[in-house]
Amino acid sequence: GVNNGTFNGSTGTVRMTGGGASISGSGTHNFSNLTIAATNVTAASSITVAGNLASVAPGTFTQATGGTLTMSGASKSITGTGFIFDNLAIAGSISVPVDVAVAGNLVVNGSINGAGGAVTMTGTTKTISGAGTITFGTLVADGNITTTSSFSISNSLDVSGNLTATAGTVTFSGSSFLNGNANLYNVTLSGTSLQLSSNAVLGIAGSYTVSSGSLNVTASVPNTVNFNGTGAQTIP
């Protein structure tokens, strides 16, 4: 659909069913619930979803470069498969128990709960930002990602690109794993364990705190914990 004016979805559901369907136009795109039920649905515009965002087989959704999808509702969700966002903004309280890809920036000023799913960030020179509550099941950094935000990991942090935190705290809250090289600022263990995989490097530029659980560096060797801050650091 092409919208050059203002579209308000009220409380209804828009269901995209035609193969190769698109959301475009220079207008304001305000959806309530949006369901993707066709392959290769694209969005060339920035859109807001106040309700739930879902895909049903064989639905897939890809957002064009420069666009932002904003989830603004309270106690809403992203479900299904085949979501590739450019910029994803979380202004409400959103659960994401599925795998999604973000090619641009992730901005969270509300709350996102990704337990059970994986957020894969693929872009170059992109950021995780915002003062909201960020909970990942798995965070995959395939691109070049920087952050000053705090977030938690309940499953795994997988870094095949670059992940650098210059502020904030990363909390490992479950039986967690680190794969790859992550340069973090403050690190807190508050779950059962954090296991470093073979050749993993955990960089800590700020403080390291264990409120519960243990750091496992012996199950898969070699690996490195690198206290790399510019000032004095305490090694517990």
Side-chain angles (χ1 to χ4, degrees):
V2 179
N3 170 29
N4 292 315
T6 299
F7 173 80
N8 288 312
S10 186
T11 59
T13 297
V14 173
R15 185 179 178 94
M16 307 290 290
T17 59
S22 65
I23 301 169
S24 62
S26 60
T28 301
H29 306 262
N30 292 323
F31 294 94
S32 178
N33 302 303
L34 177 60
T35 298
I36 308 299
T39 57
N40 301 320
V41 175
T42 60
S45 308
S46 293
I47 62 180
T48 297
V49 178
N52 299 310
L53 175 63
S55 71
V56 294
T60 60
F61 174 88
T62 302
Q63 190 173 33
T65 301
T68 298
L69 190 142
T70 300
M71 298 289 295
S72 62
S75 301
K76 303 303 180 180
S77 64
I78 300 174
T79 57
T81 60
F83 287 107
I84 302 175
F85 304 106
D86 190 45
N87 302 301
L88 177 60
I90 306 297
S93 55
I94 309 299
S95 65
V96 189
V98 295
D99 297 348
V100 299
V102 179
N105 301 311
L106 174 63
V107 182
V108 181
N109 288 309
S111 66
I112 181 171
N113 184 350
V119 175
T120 299
M121 299 196 66
T122 61
T124 301
T125 317
K126 302 303 180 181
T127 60
I128 300 170
S129 64
T133 302
I134 306 173
T135 303
F136 294 112
T138 294
L139 173 63
V140 180
D142 282 343
N144 183 3
I145 311 301
T146 61
T147 184
T148 57
S149 296
S150 296
F151 57 84
S152 67
I153 301 281
S154 62
N155 187 20
S156 68
L157 175 57
D158 300 332
V159 184
S160 58
N162 296 287
L163 175 63
T164 302
T166 56
T169 298
V170 175
T171 300
F172 293 92
S173 60
S175 296
S176 306
F177 297 85
L178 170 63
N179 303 300
N181 186 344
N183 286 304
L184 308 180
Y185 193 70
N186 299 316
V187 172
T188 295
L189 270 62
S190 67
T192 303
S193 65
L194 170 61
Q195 180 177 326
L196 272 57
S197 66
S198 180
N199 298 311
V201 179
L202 172 60
I204 302 172
S207 63
Y208 171 63
T209 304
V210 179
S211 58
S212 65
S214 61
L215 178 64
N216 183 346
V217 296
T218 60
S220 300
V221 294
N223 53 64
T224 303
V225 177
N226 185 14
F227 285 85
N228 56 9
T230 57
Q233 293 178 270
T234 299
I235 300 176

